[in-house]
């Protein structure tokens, strides 16, 4: 570790060969985990027919992943600080391989849902560990900003790439390969990581805050379940309302517990930092709006233009190209203009490109508009996400990086889970599919614009 630190001090603008290998390994792990969230989305009808899921049960394939992925991320981010980040990354990869094997050979709905739960838990364990290894392996400054830029690009692009890859695998091979493709990648990461990445953990010996862990995990699980139930049955559904009320009670209890705990899971001094609070707020808006826009465009391409899953995935690949370009360009933009200006500018560009999608019509003549607007919006979205990641993890000691990256990962997972059912409810409230897509797209653009205004107003230098 001292060799890495000295190299970074001597040449802060350039990565050493070892830095590049570490970066490749950690980015590969994060990219694979991001893909898993959406890889089955375009294949859901095929999976349903193959295993006997009813139409009203298909959403549980996504929910079974989202519940543990969002609910346990903050907990495992802190566990990684205390138990060792490399150890948690390896545990997450092993669990992912096991869950993927179960899913690839699933013979019943219960078996498939078990696999998705295991994949969600693996994401909650491995993602904050990989991200905190990234931030502790690269010193704060140009090197870390560049690494976070590539990380943000791949994490966000992974959602789109998952849709593309899911369509290709389903049409050309089988939906089972959406699971099995994870196994060899996870095995390679398990084999290479111990030799390449040094163990990293917090130097303090504080015990895990069990009451804090129970309340925040329970609160997040209830929140995600309530949002999902509301998206499926409506916001007046009793089950959804009870779950959301339980989420409020548990999350308030979490704050009270943290105020009194001698070793809090998430110290309020960290949670109330402007960079952490408003960086995560901007990231929440960026993830919620862009991933739900992918859902809306999937709805438009398949139900209005009658495209196949494969063609839909390829069309959304243009958005993925835009996001990747944004992730590559973002570190330079952030280095020149700062985190606050970059986050605001990215959200504004995303909002403008999303608003342009109101010009979509019932025929394919507007397809070039959709491709151009989604690519530009994806660029702006990734610029915002890189600024969010850099801002939300800046100015914190290495011992709190697991917490900071756990918060950032939790923000991502909850935003993705919240954005899709909300936009789905807005879209399906309209009598026509195209009309619903237009209304939801307008709401999406306004949320991105409002997020930019709030971040610009409150995320200022202390």
């Amino acid at each position: 570790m001292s060799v890495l630190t000295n190299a970074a001090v001597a040449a802060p603008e350039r990565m050493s060969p070892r830095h590049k290998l570490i970066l490749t390994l950690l980015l590969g792990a994060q990219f694979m985990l991001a893909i898993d969230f959406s890889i089955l989305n375009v294949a859901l009808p095929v999976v349903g027919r193959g295993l006997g899921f009813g139409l009203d049960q298909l959403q549980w394939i996504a929910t079974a992943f989202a519940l543990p992925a969002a609910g346990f991320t903050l907990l495992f981010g802190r566990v990684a600080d205390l138990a060792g980040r490399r150890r948690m990354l390896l545990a997450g990869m092993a669990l992912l391989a096991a869950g993927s094997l179960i899913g690839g050979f699933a013979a019943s709905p219960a078996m498939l849902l078990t696999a998705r739960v295991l994949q969600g838990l693996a994401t909650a364990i491995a993602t904050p560990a990989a991200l905190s290894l990234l931030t502790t392996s690269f010193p704060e400054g140009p090197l870390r900003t560049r690494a976070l830029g590539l990380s943000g690009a791949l994490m966000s692009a992974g959602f789109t790439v998952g849709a593309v890859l899911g369509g290709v695998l389903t049409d050309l091979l089988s939906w089972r390969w959406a699971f099995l493709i994870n196994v060899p990648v996870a095995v390679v990461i398990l084999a290479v990581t111990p030799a390449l990445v040094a163990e990293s953990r917090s130097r303090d010996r504080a015990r895990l805050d069990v009451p804090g862990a129970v309340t925040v995990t329970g609160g997040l699980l209830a929140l995600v379940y309530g949002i999902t139930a509301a998206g499926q049955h409506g916001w007046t559904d009793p089950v959804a309302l009870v779950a959301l009320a339980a989420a409020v009670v548990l999350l308030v209890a979490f704050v009270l517990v943290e105020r009194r705990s001698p070793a809090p899971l998430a110290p309020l001094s960290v949670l109330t930092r402007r960079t952490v609070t408003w960086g995560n707020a901007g990231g929440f808006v960026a993830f919620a709006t862009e991933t739900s826009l992918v859902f809306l465009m999937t709805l438009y391409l398949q139900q209005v233009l009658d495209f196949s899953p494969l063609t839909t995935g390829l069309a959304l690949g243009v958005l993925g190209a835009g996001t990747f370009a944004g992730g590559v360009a973002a570190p330079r933009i952030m280095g020149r203009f700062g985190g606050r200006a970059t986050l605001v500018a990215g959200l504004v560009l995303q909002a403008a490109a999303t608003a342009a999608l109101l010009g979509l019509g019932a025929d394919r003549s507007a397809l070039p508009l959709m491709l151009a607007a989604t690519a530009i919006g994806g660029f702006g979205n990734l610029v915002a996400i890189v600024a969010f990641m850099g801002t939300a993890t800046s100015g914190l000691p290495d011992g709190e990086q697991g917490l900071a990256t756990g918060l950032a990962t939790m923000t991502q997972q909850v935003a993705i889970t919240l954005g899709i059912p909300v936009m789905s409810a807005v879209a399906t409230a309209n009598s026509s599919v195209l009309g619903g897509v237009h209304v939801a797209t307008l709401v999406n653009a306004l949320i991105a614009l409002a997020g930019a205004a709030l971040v610009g107003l409150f995320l200022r230098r202390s």
Side-chain angles (χ1 to χ4, degrees):
M1 290 298 288
S2 60
V3 174
L4 285 177
T5 304
N6 293 335
V9 171
E13 298 293 337
R14 302 182 64 181
M15 291 188 188
S16 68
R18 187 175 180 84
H19 271 134
K20 292 177 181 178
L21 289 173
I22 292 172
L23 184 63
T24 300
L25 177 72
L26 296 177
L27 291 185
Q30 291 179 41
F31 187 55
M32 182 177 63
L33 292 165
I35 284 175
D36 279 341
F37 194 96
S38 61
I39 195 168
L40 285 178
N41 284 4
V42 298
L44 288 181
V46 180
V47 176
R49 288 194 298 270
L51 292 181
F53 279 91
L55 288 177
D56 59 336
Q57 298 173 322
L58 287 179
Q59 57 95 21
W60 283 105
I61 297 176
T63 303
F65 181 98
L67 277 170
F72 289 94
T73 294
L74 185 60
L75 169 61
F76 285 122
R78 185 55 179 159
V79 171
D81 280 340
L82 301 176
R85 292 152 186 149
R86 187 182 71 178
R87 179 179 297 172
M88 295 303 290
L89 174 62
L90 294 174
M93 287 296 104
L95 189 61
L96 180 70
S100 298
L101 277 173
I102 293 171
F105 294 101
S108 66
M111 197 171 173
L112 186 86
L113 292 178
T114 299
R116 290 297 277 170
V117 169
L118 293 178
Q119 286 185 321
L121 276 173
T123 298
I125 295 169
T127 301
L131 194 53
S132 56
L133 283 170
L134 196 68
T135 57
T136 53
S137 297
F138 294 86
E140 189 167 344
L143 283 181
R144 183 183 292 183
T145 300
R146 193 178 310 161
L148 287 174
L150 292 171
S151 174
L154 291 178
M155 287 175 70
S156 182
F159 187 86
T160 305
V161 171
V164 176
L165 188 60
V168 171
L169 291 174
T170 300
D171 273 18
L172 300 183
L173 296 172
S174 164
W175 61 265
R176 295 181 182 278
W177 281 99
F179 286 96
L180 296 176
I181 196 172
N182 288 327
V183 178
V185 179
V187 169
V188 169
I189 293 171
L190 285 168
V192 174
T193 298
L196 191 61
V197 181
E199 183 60 282
S200 169
R201 60 166 57 88
S202 174
R203 292 182 180 179
D204 66 65
R205 297 297 179 184
R207 294 182 179 180
L208 183 65
D209 173 20
V210 175
V214 170
T215 51
V216 74
T217 302
L220 289 171
L221 288 171
L223 177 64
V224 174
Y225 181 82
I227 291 166
T228 305
Q232 182 183 14
H233 302 295
W235 293 92
T236 59
D237 177 58
V239 174
L241 292 176
V242 169
L244 292 173
V248 171
V249 171
L250 287 168
L251 292 176
V252 169
F254 169 68
V255 173
L256 297 177
V257 167
E258 298 306 276
R259 284 181 176 175
R260 293 169 173 78
S261 174
L265 177 70
L268 296 183
S269 60
V270 174
L271 296 180
T272 55
R273 288 175 65 103
R274 288 194 182 193
T275 52
V276 174
T277 301
W278 292 104
N280 277 285
F284 183 90
V285 171
F287 274 108
T289 51
E290 192 68 8
T291 52
S292 61
L293 186 68
V294 172
F295 165 77
L296 293 174
M297 292 302 99
T298 301
L299 196 66
Y300 173 72
L301 289 169
Q302 292 195 10
Q303 296 200 19
V304 177
L305 300 187
D306 199 28
F307 281 3
S308 69
L310 176 59
T311 308
T312 299
L314 293 175
L316 292 174
V318 178
L319 188 155
T323 59
F324 185 79
V328 172
R332 293 183 180 179
I333 299 172
M334 189 174 171
R336 182 170 181 179
F337 298 103
R340 172 174 170 265
T342 303
L343 181 50
V344 171
L347 289 174
V348 169
L349 179 60
Q350 178 191 329
T354 302
L357 294 171
L358 294 173
L360 297 179
D363 56 47
R364 300 183 180 185
S365 61
L367 190 58
L369 168 65
M370 194 211 84
L371 297 177
T374 53
I376 294 170
F379 181 93
N381 177 256
L382 244 295
V383 168
I385 285 174
V386 172
F388 140 62
M389 295 297 298
T391 302
T393 59
S394 65
L396 295 172
D398 285 354
E400 293 178 345
Q401 284 299 323
L403 169 61
T405 54
L407 282 169
T409 307
M410 181 193 72
T411 294
Q412 172 192 347
Q413 300 291 353
V414 175
I416 292 171
T417 306
L418 172 62
I420 292 176
V422 168
M423 288 300 121
S424 174
V426 173
T428 55
N430 198 284
S431 57
S432 72
V433 175
L434 182 59
V437 168
H438 279 162
V439 173
T441 299
L442 177 60
V443 171
N444 193 294
L446 291 175
I447 291 173
L449 195 59
L454 290 172
V455 170
L457 181 62
F458 292 107
L459 184 59
R460 295 177 177 172
R461 292 184 184 273
S462 300

